[in-house]
Amino acid sequence: MKTPNIINIQKFSVHDGDGIRTTIFFKGCYLNCWWCHNPESQNFAPQAMINQEKCSGCTACEQVCPEHAVCIKECKQYTDREKCQACGKCVDFCVKNAREIVGKEYTIQEVVKEVDKDYMFYEESFGGVTLSGGEVMVQDMEYIVALLKKLKRKGYHVTIDTCGYAPQENFEKVFPYVDTFLYDIKLMDDEKHKKYMGQSNEMIFTNLKYLSEQGARIYIRIPVIGGVNDSDKDIEAIIEYLKGNIAVAQVNLLPYHDIATSKYERLGLEYRGAEFTVPDNERMEELKYKFIQNGFSNTKIGG
C-alpha cells in the first residue's frame, strides 16, 4: 500500500456535498485544466510554494538548502524547481513565512482521527466526509478502499468528488462504499477538452455511464468558464447527453473565478486562463433555467 500525499483536511466545508463536511484533498491529477483553482493538487509529489512578496532576502533559505536549489539575488529568492526536493528545511528557517511545502503523507489512522473530531457536525447537518483532490480516483486504491471501509464502519456519509479521468476498475472498487459522487463535466467537444484539460473526455463519460447504470447517486458539477464552455451550444450539448444517458440527482453550476491565480506564481507556473471571463448572475440564471426546462429541477448555482 502506498500512502498518498494530502494537501489539506478542510473542516466545516459546505461546498463539497450535503451538509457540513470534512473534505480531504488528495494531491495528484492527470488532467491539467487551464483554470484549475488548486494547481498545487495536479502534481503527485510535495512542492514548494513561495510568496515572493514576503521574502526579505535574508539568505537563510539559500544557506540551508541541501540541494543548492535556492539563491538570493537583489533581495529576491530564486528556486530551481528541478533541484528542489521539497524537503522543507528552507521553510523551517524562513522567519517571514514566505515558503511552505504543500503535500504531506497521512496514514489512514491519521485521516480518520481528524475526521472523528467533527462527527457531531455531521449528525446535526446530515453531512459527512468528502474525498477530493486533485483526483482521489487515481491514488493508490488499496489505501482509498481501506479508508472508505473504515469511514463506513463508523457510519459516516461518504462523498467522492471526481473529474472522472481514472480507470473504470477504480470506480468499481469504491462503488460499494460511496453514498454520492460529485462528478465534473466540462465539455462535450473532445477536441476542446483535449485543449483545455490536456486529455480526451472519452474515459470520463464511460465512467459516468457506468456509475449511472449501477444506480449511483450522482451530482453533476459544471464549472462555467466564460470563453470556454458557457455558450448555448456547449451547455445544450451537456444537457442532451445527460437527458439520454445519466440518472442525475442534482446539477451544480459553478461560475468561474480567478482567485487562485496567485498560486500559480507561487508554484512557478504560468496561469493560462488570463482571457477567461466570469459569467454574470444573469447568464448563470439563464443556464440554470435551461437545465430546469429540460427536467433537471434540482439545479443550483454554486455548491
Side-chain angles (χ1 to χ4, degrees):
M1 181 189 299
K2 182 179 180 181
T3 304
N5 284 298
I6 290 174
I7 300 170
N8 185 25
I9 299 178
Q10 182 174 307
K11 307 298 186 71
F12 213 85
S13 176
V14 294
H15 299 295
D16 299 309
D18 298 322
I20 297 171
R21 312 190 71 81
T22 299
T23 303
I24 303 158
F25 292 92
F26 289 87
K27 201 171 188 309
C29 180
Y30 291 131
L31 295 188
N32 185 20
C33 302
W34 286 22
W35 58 83
C36 182
H37 295 159
N38 295 307
E40 72 276 21
S41 72
Q42 294 181 0
N43 194 307
F44 286 82
Q47 292 171 281
M49 289 185 73
I50 302 122
N51 189 329
Q52 191 72 263
E53 294 181 358
K54 289 185 176 181
C55 178
S56 65
C58 71
T59 77
C61 54
E62 180 180 24
Q63 295 177 46
V64 301
C65 178
E67 306 297 330
H68 305 290
V70 186
C71 66
I72 305 295
K73 295 179 181 178
E74 298 177 352
C75 292
K76 289 188 177 182
Q77 73 77 38
Y78 298 87
T79 299
D80 186 331
R81 292 185 178 273
E82 291 187 2
K83 290 183 179 180
C84 177
Q85 299 298 307
C87 67
K89 288 188 177 180
C90 61
V91 175
D92 295 336
F93 285 84
C94 182
V95 296
K96 296 294 185 179
N97 294 319
R99 308 176 72 89
E100 64 176 310
I101 302 299
V102 289
K104 174 187 172 182
E105 291 186 356
Y106 282 78
T107 66
I108 291 172
Q109 291 73 20
E110 288 172 331
V111 172
V112 173
K113 182 178 179 181
E114 289 301 310
V115 167
D116 285 343
K117 295 176 182 178
D118 294 335
Y119 77 93
M120 72 288 291
F121 296 119
Y122 312 149
E123 290 186 345
E124 294 178 4
S125 69
F126 301 102
V129 183
T130 298
L131 308 188
S132 186
E135 179 51 59
V136 60
M137 296 304 300
V138 294
Q139 307 298 325
D140 182 274
M141 294 314 293
E142 185 180 355
Y143 176 101
I144 298 301
V145 170
L147 173 59
L148 289 171
K149 287 181 177 179
K150 182 153 286 193
L151 293 173
K152 293 309 293 180
R153 282 197 297 269
K154 287 177 168 284
Y156 295 139
H157 181 281
V158 176
T159 291
I160 279 184
D161 182 3
T162 178
C163 72
Y165 194 81
Q168 182 176 311
E169 63 185 37
N170 291 1
F171 286 93
E172 294 171 359
K173 290 175 181 177
V174 305
F175 179 78
Y177 315 107
V178 179
D179 298 290
T180 304
F181 288 89
L182 309 182
Y183 206 101
D184 289 359
I185 294 182
K186 284 113 173 174
L187 281 162
M188 295 302 302
D189 185 315
D190 195 38
E191 290 306 310
K192 287 177 69 175
H193 201 280
K194 290 175 183 175
K195 175 182 177 179
Y196 290 112
M197 272 66 78
Q199 302 288 352
S200 168
N201 60 17
E202 182 179 355
M203 183 186 296
I204 293 169
F205 290 112
T206 297
N207 288 328
L208 180 56
K209 188 78 178 295
Y210 163 77
L211 290 176
S212 180
E213 290 173 346
Q214 297 302 308
R217 186 168 184 252
I218 301 170
Y219 287 9
I220 296 295
R221 289 155 67 92
I222 303 170
V224 181
I225 318 297
V228 177
N229 67 346
D230 64 330
S231 70
D232 286 348
K233 179 181 177 181
D234 284 315
I235 294 299
E236 288 167 3
I238 293 174
I239 290 172
E240 287 306 308
Y241 172 78
L242 294 175
K243 283 172 63 177
N245 295 277
I246 308 300
V248 179
Q250 182 170 296
V251 175
N252 290 90
L253 303 175
L254 312 176
Y256 163 76
H257 60 74
D258 61 358
I259 61 173
T261 53
S262 63
K263 289 185 178 182
Y264 287 80
E265 182 179 352
R266 291 163 63 193
L267 287 164
L269 300 174
E270 175 190 4
Y271 182 67
R272 293 178 290 173
E275 302 301 317
F276 298 156
T277 58
V278 179
D280 59 28
N281 292 337
E282 182 179 356
R283 181 55 176 163
M284 293 302 298
E285 290 292 343
E286 289 175 356
L287 298 182
K288 176 182 175 180
Y289 185 61
K290 280 183 180 291
F291 277 89
I292 292 173
Q293 275 186 313
N294 282 276
F296 299 98
S297 57
N298 194 14
T299 297
K300 301 179 180 180
I301 297 173

